[in-house]
Amino acid sequence: MRLSIDKIYQCETIDQALDQLKQDPSAIVLAAGTDIIPTLRDRVQEHVRLVDLQGIQGLDHIRLEEGVLRIGSMAMHQEIADNPVVGDLLPALAQACRVIGSPQIRRRATIGGNICHASPAADTLPVLVAVGAHAVIRTPEGTRTVLLEQFTTGVKKTVMPQAAILEEITIPIPAGGWKGNYYRLGGRNALTISIAAVAVIRDTDGFRVAYGSMAPVVRRIQAVETYLNTCEHADKAVLNDLTTQSLSPISDIRASKEYRTQVAANFTWLGWQELMGV
């Protein structure tokens, strides 16, 4: 048995794509294919039908509107990494997009695909979760907005109904933009799944910290954020204890849970130091 694609529905509008998904409940949304095609091949799946979004105009926008950064789901990672507005107002997202895959993948893979694949190691998710981004979801019944922290419900599981398309991601931009960085550790710099990933972000209201590869979903840790936002000067040992106590990753072939938590704690400390200039 091998991967067998029976049909690709090539759509020119979102409504056409939604109509195909409604008519064919077994069809799968195709963005760039860098995640879904290898996944389907590894599952040795036959008789696959795909709804292709690549012909839909207007889903690759990156623009700032009234204090909200809007990124279309079909915007490619290299486009986001190179965008001056993103680099100025949310540099951590540009950093995250630069470490995804290889140059060839970054010039094809989309942010919507990275999000909808719902991997706990997805590089864009820690930054987007940390800054309170929202997912704008289109269905045949209309449009709804979901906080991205609540969008993923488990490994490769989301709140998306079957007949739905992620239209765009909206990010609130505070005065002066978001400061901070994205940190990840993998076996090598590209083409690898992260062992640990941390986004340490700050605006005028304080610190926000989100962790990837630490649980079935990317999440913020309130205890860590509260400590950083209330202490006069962070203590590395205290921050280390808070981080390791709040995280419970798995051990696997890539790293032990102890190593993962220690790396995450070190990244959290590094993020605080860099933002505080110490």
Side-chain angles (χ1 to χ4, degrees), residues 135-154:
V136 179
I137 302 169
R138 279 277 296 275
T139 70
E141 290 72 38
T143 302
R144 68 185 179 114
T145 302
V146 177
L147 187 67
L148 207 57
E149 191 171 7
Q150 300 169 354
F151 180 84
T152 302
T153 58

Side-chain angles (χ1 to χ4, degrees), residues 71-276:
I71 302 179
S73 60
M74 292 294 285
M76 292 180 287
H77 296 300
Q78 195 63 55
E79 293 174 331
I80 299 169
D82 294 341
N83 187 276
V85 175
V86 177
D88 183 44
L89 299 177
L90 186 51
L93 181 58
Q95 290 175 340
C97 288
R98 287 191 192 102
V99 300
I100 292 174
S102 64
Q104 295 91 336
I105 289 175
R106 289 192 292 274
R107 286 179 171 85
R108 180 170 178 83
T110 65
I111 190 169
N114 193 240
I115 292 169
C116 290
H117 190 59
S119 166
D123 284 297
T124 61
L125 280 175
V127 177
L128 295 172
V129 166
V131 298
H134 285 78
V136 179
I137 302 169
R138 279 277 296 275
T139 70
E141 290 72 38
T143 302
R144 68 185 179 114
T145 302
V146 177
L147 187 67
L148 207 57
E149 191 171 7
Q150 300 169 354
F151 180 84
T152 302
T153 58
V155 178
K156 299 185 179 180
K157 296 178 181 179
T158 74
V159 297
M160 293 268 284
Q162 188 276 329
I165 291 172
L166 175 62
E167 186 172 7
E168 68 175 354
I169 300 92
T170 61
I171 305 164
I173 301 296
W178 295 100
K179 311 301 180 184
N181 295 292
Y182 174 67
Y183 309 91
R184 80 188 292 267
L185 177 67
R188 47 189 173 146
N189 290 332
L191 294 171
T192 187
I193 299 172
S194 65
I195 291 171
V198 183
V200 184
I201 311 293
R202 190 187 188 193
D203 70 348
T204 53
D205 292 329
F207 285 89
R208 296 168 175 232
V209 188
Y211 297 86
S213 296
M214 292 285 133
V217 298
V218 172
R219 61 193 181 106
R220 294 167 61 181
I221 302 297
Q222 185 176 358
V224 172
E225 292 181 351
T226 299
Y227 175 69
L228 292 178
N229 289 326
T230 55
C231 68
E232 291 186 8
H233 191 283
D235 180 272
K236 185 176 183 180
V238 174
L239 187 57
N240 182 84
D241 288 344
L242 280 173
T243 305
T244 54
Q245 290 169 12
S246 301
L247 299 171
S248 55
I250 62 169
S251 294
D252 60 17
I253 193 170
R254 293 182 296 119
S256 67
K257 62 180 182 180
E258 292 81 10
Y259 181 68
R260 279 191 164 95
T261 52
Q262 189 57 61
V263 169
N266 290 343
F267 280 156
T268 307
W269 174 250
L270 177 61
W272 178 84
Q273 285 185 308
E274 291 187 341
L275 282 169
M276 296 300 292

Side-chain angles (χ1 to χ4, degrees), residues 63-70:
R63 59 177 180 262
L64 183 67
E65 293 181 352
E66 299 180 347
V68 177
L69 180 61
R70 297 182 176 276

Side-chain angles (χ1 to χ4, degrees), residues 37-57:
I37 296 300
T39 299
L40 292 172
R41 184 187 61 221
D42 292 343
R43 290 176 183 170
V44 200
Q45 191 162 340
E46 288 191 315
H47 308 300
V48 174
R49 294 175 301 283
L50 302 173
V51 175
D52 188 0
L53 305 185
Q54 294 177 80
I56 300 177
Q57 300 296 313

